[in-house]
Amino acid sequence: MPAPAPGYVVLLPVKPPARGKSRLVGIEPHERADLARSFALDTAESCLAATHVSAVLVITDDAYFAADVARLGAAVIPDGVSGDLNESLVQGALEARRRWPGLRPAALCGDLPALRSADLDAALAASEGAGPAYVEDAVGGGTTLYTAPHDLFRPAFGPGSAAAHRAGGARPLEGDLHSLRHDVDTLEDLEAVRRFGLGPRTALASVRVGSLG
């Protein structure tokens, strides 16, 4: 029999929805917060449904969002280094190692409202091996997923993150992985991912926003 695939813990950093997604312009603040919350909840739910994912650890300082995502089955910790995404992920990985020492950490953007569990599973399966790996975003230059063994876990999210991860020894994961490559920062991005099928909360929230109905 083949050896079982390694399990993963997804690290999902989420800004408080009331402060997130500032590039969703032309809508009311409460609509922006509703979309940001919906993006993150749909992303978390897709992660929880993935075969290779054994746990999801959400990193957030928003108590209301924390309660919502915990009801889905995710674990939640506060963001101990607010304002430094990569350091937050490193601390999240340390906590994940304490809770689930046998699971490999995978840092994922929380704004993938069309994410399909099958795409995430395909990426995680392709990342199996000794070293770090990452998924470049559809626009090019950014990163939506980064994974590495704990001792090699050095996320470099931010401008030019794909090149930074590559320079740090991570290998790019090939394949279509369409729903995993399309993060959403603008209303135009949201329209672009509709063809992959929006998660249920995002679909409902987008209908409540008049310009997207």
Side-chain angles (χ1 to χ4, degrees):
M1 279 181 74
Y8 290 78
V9 50
V10 171
L11 308 176
L12 203 64
V14 178
K15 286 183 181 179
R19 293 195 286 109
K21 292 296 147 195
S22 59
R23 291 171 60 191
L24 291 173
V25 297
I27 57 177
E28 295 297 322
H30 71 275
E31 293 173 325
R32 184 182 306 113
D34 192 23
L35 282 171
R37 170 186 170 277
S38 299
F39 294 173
L41 288 173
D42 285 339
T43 302
E45 189 166 61
S46 291
C47 292
L48 289 162
T51 302
H52 287 290
V53 175
S54 299
V56 173
L57 182 62
V58 175
I59 306 164
T60 186
D61 280 333
D62 188 290
Y64 293 105
F65 177 79
D68 287 341
V69 77
R71 279 191 286 270
L72 295 180
V76 187
I77 59 172
D79 187 349
V81 199
S82 182
D84 187 335
L85 172 59
N86 293 308
E87 189 57 34
S88 294
L89 288 168
V90 168
Q91 291 204 3
L94 290 172
E95 176 61 17
R97 190 174 198 176
R98 185 187 71 80
R99 296 189 187 198
W100 307 284
L103 300 183
R104 173 169 164 151
L108 185 71
C109 292
D111 55 359
L112 297 163
L115 178 63
R116 295 177 179 174
S117 301
D119 281 348
L120 179 57
D121 273 329
L124 294 178
S127 74
E128 292 171 14
Y134 69 96
V135 173
E136 188 167 358
D137 64 12
V139 174
T143 302
T144 58
L145 171 74
Y146 169 81
T147 180
H150 282 286
D151 293 343
L152 299 174
F153 188 79
R154 299 181 185 89
F157 287 89
S161 61
H165 284 132
R166 191 162 53 250
R171 60 185 174 91
L173 297 175
E174 306 298 338
D176 292 333
L177 306 175
H178 291 304
S179 71
L180 181 55
R181 295 188 188 278
H182 283 78
D183 53 330
V184 172
D185 289 315
T186 67
L187 294 181
E188 292 76 16
D189 293 339
L190 183 56
E191 284 299 319
V193 301
R194 280 185 183 276
R195 67 185 186 276
F196 305 129
L198 296 175
R201 297 164 192 81
T202 301
L204 181 60
S206 69
V207 168
R208 288 196 290 260
V209 177
S211 62
L212 296 176

